Amino acid sequence: MNRPLIFRQAVIQDLPRLVPLFDSYREYFGQSKDPAAVERFLFEKFEHRESVIFIAEGEEAMAGFAQLYPSFSSLSLQRVWILNDFFISEPYRHRGTGRRLLQAVKEFATLTGAKGVELSVEHTNERAWRFYEMQGFVMDEEFRHYFWKI
């Protein structure tokens, strides 16, 4: 019998089960599979406490993850969490998994006294726009975001 999904903060011991899901996420966005590089990358995030990862954990495999990076608002003197990576495995989509995982992220942001959670979505990903807006996110009309590529 399949147990219900568990939503929790990941720990370094989760790496063996998290790496394949993270690699699938990268592949979804056009990157080549590279489990060894993914493992090194995630290990460093845990080792140096550079990010916080939440997982949706099934009995057999990970169903999804959300990775947050800390940033800060100098004007409000508060932490801001950047939701940099968010992925739900295909069999778990359209079942409330993403909504529940995002709820865990929002609860964490609240508990840590953050100003809020910031994220970016591709201009063409209208499904993601609707999903985040349904979860209470509002598009920032005040600032135009820029990126300098090396």
Side-chain angles (χ1 to χ4, degrees), residues 3-4 8-9 12 19 24 27 33 40-41 46 53 65 74 80 85 88 90 94 96-97 99 103 120 124 129 137 149:
R3 67 180 167 123
R8 64 177 176 82
Q9 190 171 338
I12 200 164
V19 166
S24 293
E27 187 177 43
K33 281 199 168 283
R40 280 191 307 275
F41 177 80
F46 281 112
I53 301 174
F65 74 93
S74 299
V80 174
D85 307 293
I88 305 299
E90 184 67 38
H94 311 292
T97 306
R99 180 184 47 76
Q103 184 59 39
S120 298
T124 57
W129 299 353
F137 284 78
K149 187 174 182 178

Side-chain angles (χ1 to χ4, degrees), residues 9 49-54 67-73 78-84 105-106 108-119 137:
Q9 190 171 338
R49 296 181 181 161
E50 294 175 330
S51 73
V52 175
I53 301 174
F54 283 87
Q67 182 164 222
L68 301 168
Y69 289 101
S71 186
F72 304 91
S73 168
Q78 290 179 284
R79 178 185 304 276
V80 174
W81 289 106
I82 298 172
L83 178 56
N84 199 69
V105 165
K106 290 161 63 177
F108 176 77
T110 301
L111 288 171
T112 58
K115 178 179 180 179
V117 177
E118 179 180 316
L119 59 87
F137 284 78

Side-chain angles (χ1 to χ4, degrees), residues 1-149:
M1 180 177 190
N2 288 341
R3 67 180 167 123
L5 292 177
I6 295 171
F7 296 83
R8 64 177 176 82
Q9 190 171 338
V11 294
I12 200 164
Q13 289 85 353
D14 292 315
L15 271 179
R17 294 181 72 210
L18 183 57
V19 166
L21 182 65
F22 200 92
D23 215 14
S24 293
Y25 160 71
R26 292 180 68 253
E27 187 177 43
Y28 179 84
F29 284 101
Q31 302 299 310
S32 298
K33 281 199 168 283
D34 192 343
V38 165
E39 184 171 7
R40 280 191 307 275
F41 177 80
L42 291 175
F43 179 83
E44 288 174 1
K45 300 301 151 252
F46 281 112
E47 181 181 40
H48 300 294
R49 296 181 181 161
E50 294 175 330
S51 73
V52 175
I53 301 174
F54 283 87
I55 54 174
E57 179 180 36
E59 193 169 341
E60 303 291 320
M62 297 282 181
F65 74 93
Q67 182 164 222
L68 301 168
Y69 289 101
S71 186
F72 304 91
S73 168
S74 299
L75 297 179
S76 68
L77 306 175
Q78 290 179 284
R79 178 185 304 276
V80 174
W81 289 106
I82 298 172
L83 178 56
N84 199 69
D85 307 293
F86 188 86
F87 184 71
I88 305 299
S89 181
E90 184 67 38
Y92 297 95
R93 292 182 189 160
H94 311 292
R95 298 173 149 201
T97 306
R99 180 184 47 76
R100 290 179 60 203
L101 185 59
L102 196 54
Q103 184 59 39
V105 165
K106 290 161 63 177
E107 288 172 9
F108 176 77
T110 301
L111 288 171
T112 58
K115 178 179 180 179
V117 177
E118 179 180 316
L119 59 87
S120 298
V121 178
E122 292 175 322
H123 291 284
T124 57
N125 194 344
E126 291 183 33
R127 176 179 262 162
W129 299 353
R130 286 191 299 277
F131 169 74
Y132 290 118
E133 288 170 3
M134 286 174 49
Q135 308 312 311
F137 284 78
V138 178
M139 186 170 63
D140 184 353
E141 305 267 346
E142 186 177 355
F143 293 97
R144 182 177 285 195
H145 297 271
Y146 292 91
F147 182 77
W148 180 69
K149 187 174 182 178

